[in-house]
Amino acid sequence: MSEVTSSLESLHVRRSTFSPLFTLAGALVITAFFTAAPWILAASWVSILSNFFILLIMATMWNLLAGYAGMVSIGQQGFVGLGAYATLYFAIKGMNPFAAIPFAIVTCAVLALPITYLLFRLRGGYFAVATWVVADSAMLIILSIALLGGGTGSYLPGLSSLSPTQLDHDTYLATWFVALAVVVATYLILRSRLGLVLSSLRDNETASRSAGAKVTATRRLIYVIAAAGCGAAGSVLAISQPFVQPGNAFNLNWAAEMLFVTMVGGLGTIEGPILGCVIFFVLQQTLQNYGAWYLIIFGSLAVAVALWQPRGLWGALRQKTHLELLPVGYRVRRSDGVETTSS
Amino acid sequence: MPLLQLEGVSKRFGQVVVASGVTFQLDEGASLGVVGPNGAGKTSLFGIISGDISPDAGTVTFAGKNLASVPGPTRCRLGVGRTYQIPQPFEHMSVFENTLLAAQQGARTRGRKSFELAYTSLERTDLAPLANRPAGTLGLLHRKRLELARALATKPRLLLLDEIAGGLTDLEVSELTAIVRELQREGVTILWIEHVVRALLSTVDRLICLANGEIVADGDPRDVLNSEAVRRVYLGGAIINEAATR
């Protein structure tokens, strides 16, 4: 027993393989660059970045939902739409659309909670189809509300006082700060005790339960967080349009895009959806003169990755290099010189 | 008051009966072995106790508490730890993270205490040098040890061991048996399913034999192995003679 005590005294647990100062310095540089982007980049690039961040928000949330909590949803566009329409509703009621973003987030979270009690009765493919049904049902309900423009939609009020340039800047900053908040929140969740539960769920639900993890409660929380995040994406999407239409806000393509970029980048890693979004937008911009070819190429890439690199391109890179830009794991080190192996 | 009590527990999947009126009790600190042919319902019995499977009838009581409406994770937090016959590591997590999850969720420890509990569990199972290895890269022996380490990190009062010696060499079986005996000395109650009979004989102080979901024998390990009913349903005469004389 004395041996155990002495080894425990020399036990150190770290959270990353390199100094967290590198991560912090890198994060500060990136934050400064993207915050200053409207003043240093051309307007067309600012617009592209806005769309990039909207997709990044959705993909990060879908990754949390499917990549960690094991809930493969094809209905997250429902919360994108609800977020957009919640923003429209609050704007119609006189609120500044930018100020309505947090209210749209809360609205989606509140709506998502009771939905879990229905969805969580289903598993696997049935769950996925049910999420789609929920999304379509939400759209049908919205279509029937005349105040929100019914089937034709409505222009988002409260933005006319801003000049076009100011509106573009503010819209960009809103999407950037929401995306930053979503990625940082995801990182903090995955570094917390909850993160370890999510990682275990990703790997083996049965073992996770038997180790004492409250799987259902964790899943419910993650579903609500993912709904809130997709609602935030919908809210900034509504502001960036700024005409809110059911066919656009509840478009199934949102679900397809968030799924594809996460699969290509790397399911179950924070960096994966970021890489997936970068590849998606690089292909889109490079091949924009060739119609939908970027989608065909990206779809083929997704199939190839699913077949040969199921953990995505970032997963493959990490396996080879042990590189983690946003480390969430634990590493054991003994100060008495006893080494633990890592491979 | 017994730590674990099963009263008339029954379960069937369609026409397959995995438990039929199973009744037994286990005092705190005792160790009970479970043998029986494949398909006898041994692992299902563990599932019923740990909460993975809901019984059709009967009651499971742990430390005086009826577990009928208690979900699996809560049973773990109450002190029911288990291992699986086929190891179930969290493959993309490190060996240390596997036990850390159990320490944080099962044993409800935080911060430094959770690190120490997780690491101690690895030391007890000789896995500490592999703490940073991804669990998916471990071989069979180390996976079995990790099953045990993760169960230990939940600080169990009752430990359900499901064939942890299966597929291991004699030396490896001896090492695992030594760990189980040490746990016994510390007062952990053991319920152990095992086909490696000599491992059970050197460890448990009572044995039951299951067949078709029913207990066909219950008592002193050697008496159980020598009983006619157990010979008939589980062991051949040559094997039983060899096992009983060891």
Side-chain angles (χ1 to χ4, degrees):
Chain A
M1 200 63 203
S2 60
E3 274 181 30
V4 170
T5 306
S6 94
S7 67
L8 288 179
E9 283 164 4
S10 62
L11 174 68
H12 294 279
V13 177
R14 291 183 299 165
R15 303 304 304 275
S16 64
T17 51
F18 55 91
S19 168
L21 285 175
F22 287 118
T23 303
L24 186 64
L28 286 175
V29 169
I30 288 168
T31 303
F33 173 77
F34 283 121
T35 304
W39 292 275
I40 57 176
L41 293 180
S44 59
W45 275 104
V46 172
S47 172
I48 290 166
L49 281 176
S50 284
N51 293 331
F52 173 86
F53 289 132
I54 289 171
L55 184 58
L56 178 60
I57 297 164
M58 295 183 201
T60 300
M61 289 295 94
W62 194 83
N63 182 44
L64 195 61
L65 195 65
Y68 282 95
M71 293 180 281
V72 178
S73 166
I74 50 174
Q76 289 310 99
Q77 73 277 13
F79 293 106
V80 175
L82 287 171
Y85 271 92
T87 307
L88 174 62
Y89 173 80
F90 290 117
I92 289 171
K93 292 295 176 188
M95 189 179 284
N96 181 307
F98 290 101
I101 295 173
F103 291 92
I105 292 171
V106 173
T107 302
C108 287
V110 169
L111 289 172
L113 184 61
I115 290 171
T116 62
Y117 288 90
L118 174 70
L119 290 179
F120 284 14
R121 300 174 74 86
L122 303 167
R123 311 287 290 180
Y126 295 102
F127 173 86
V129 171
T131 59
W132 191 0
V133 171
V134 167
D136 270 14
S137 302
M139 184 177 72
L140 291 172
I141 292 168
I142 293 291
L143 282 172
S144 68
I145 301 174
L147 173 72
L148 299 175
T152 53
S154 173
Y155 192 80
L156 189 67
L159 298 172
S160 54
S161 60
L162 298 172
S163 68
T165 308
Q166 187 63 46
L167 179 60
D168 286 348
H169 281 201
D170 290 357
T171 301
Y172 167 81
L173 289 175
T175 56
W176 157 236
F177 285 129
V178 170
L180 180 66
V182 163
V183 172
V184 169
T186 302
Y187 178 54
L188 294 177
I189 286 171
L190 292 174
R191 275 181 73 94
S192 71
R193 288 159 62 92
L194 181 66
L196 205 54
V197 175
L198 285 172
S199 297
S200 74
L201 266 178
R202 175 193 62 191
D203 284 3
N204 193 319
E205 181 184 331
T206 304
S208 190
R209 283 182 195 278
S210 73
K214 295 200 166 179
V215 172
T216 307
T218 303
R219 284 214 162 118
R220 181 161 287 125
L221 177 63
I222 293 304
Y223 188 87
V224 169
I225 290 171
C230 285
S235 184
V236 290
L237 177 72
I239 293 169
S240 70
Q241 301 284 308
F243 191 87
V244 184
Q245 278 182 301
N248 182 33
F250 289 93
N251 198 327
L252 182 62
N253 281 349
W254 296 126
E257 286 180 7
M258 61 181 98
L259 187 154
F260 278 144
V261 296
T262 307
M263 275 180 62
V264 169
L267 203 62
T269 62
I270 302 176
E271 299 92 336
I274 301 172
L275 178 62
C277 285
V278 169
I279 294 170
F280 181 85
F281 274 86
V282 166
L283 278 175
Q284 188 188 50
Q285 294 307 309
T286 309
L287 304 172
Q288 59 181 328
N289 295 329
Y290 301 95
W293 271 103
Y294 80 94
L295 274 178
I296 295 169
I297 292 173
F298 196 79
S300 305
L301 183 62
V303 172
V305 166
L307 286 173
W308 291 296
Q309 285 295 342
R311 301 214 60 85
L313 297 177
W314 184 263
L317 184 69
R318 191 172 68 172
Q319 198 170 15
K320 284 196 173 156
T321 62
H322 299 290
L323 177 67
E324 281 183 288
L325 296 180
L326 299 167
V328 296
Y330 296 80
R331 290 187 63 80
V332 176
R333 189 168 55 90
R334 293 262 303 270
S335 62
D336 59 4
V338 176
E339 283 296 322
T340 55
T341 56
S342 59
S343 59
Chain B
M1 182 176 64
L3 181 67
L4 176 72
Q5 190 166 16
L6 274 74
E7 189 72 44
V9 170
S10 298
K11 178 72 184 179
R12 63 161 61 219
F13 295 103
Q15 297 300 310
V16 180
V17 177
V18 295
S20 177
V22 173
T23 299
F24 69 86
Q25 60 183 44
L26 194 56
D27 291 332
E28 183 128 39
S31 54
L32 172 64
V34 183
V35 295
N38 289 332
K42 304 183 298 292
T43 296
S44 297
L45 186 66
F46 271 21
I48 289 168
I49 296 169
S50 66
D52 290 343
I53 299 172
S54 300
D56 297 331
T59 57
V60 179
T61 309
F62 179 75
K65 183 180 177 67
N66 187 340
L67 296 182
S69 58
V70 179
T74 309
R75 294 185 193 200
C76 174
R77 292 174 182 201
L78 288 172
V80 180
R82 76 164 292 181
T83 68
Y84 287 90
Q85 181 181 353
I86 299 168
Q88 311 263 345
F90 304 121
E91 297 207 345
H92 298 96
M93 291 163 60
S94 72
V95 167
F96 176 71
E97 286 164 351
N98 268 256
T99 51
L100 182 61
L101 174 88
Q104 291 185 345
Q105 300 300 318
R108 309 292 290 153
T109 55
R110 288 179 170 271
R112 177 86 191 164
K113 277 192 175 175
S114 68
F115 297 155
E116 290 181 354
L117 177 56
Y119 194 73
T120 306
S121 303
L122 293 180
E123 286 194 316
R124 297 191 68 164
T125 50
D126 293 332
L127 283 176
L130 305 176
N132 291 328
R133 277 264 296 264
T137 65
L138 298 180
L140 179 64
L141 171 65
H142 289 139
R143 282 175 182 243
K144 296 243 176 192
R145 285 176 182 245
L146 182 56
E147 280 290 302
L148 184 55
R150 201 171 57 204
L152 290 180
T154 65
K155 276 191 167 174
R157 289 175 71 186
L158 168 66
L159 185 56
L160 309 176
L161 302 171
D162 196 350
E163 296 195 32
I164 56 166
L168 303 184
T169 64
D170 284 354
L171 180 64
E172 290 165 352
V173 170
S174 300
E175 289 171 359
L176 272 177
T177 308
I179 295 169
V180 175
R181 277 202 293 265
E182 192 184 320
L183 292 170
Q184 269 183 298
R185 282 194 292 276
E186 291 169 13
V188 177
T189 308
I190 307 287
L191 186 54
W192 188 357
I193 295 172
E194 194 55 76
H195 282 303
V196 183
V197 174
R198 64 184 174 78
L200 282 182
L201 288 176
S202 66
T203 311
V204 300
D205 42 43
R206 187 177 144 213
L207 192 67
I208 61 175
C209 179
L210 277 178
N212 299 319
E214 291 181 27
I215 294 178
V216 294
D218 182 349
D220 176 80
R222 282 179 172 74
D223 291 343
V224 167
L225 290 174
N226 279 317
S227 74
E228 187 57 38
V230 174
R231 272 175 201 270
R232 197 173 54 249
V233 300
Y234 182 46
L235 293 168
I239 297 171
I240 180 62
N241 289 338
E242 184 192 345
T245 52
R246 287 193 183 195

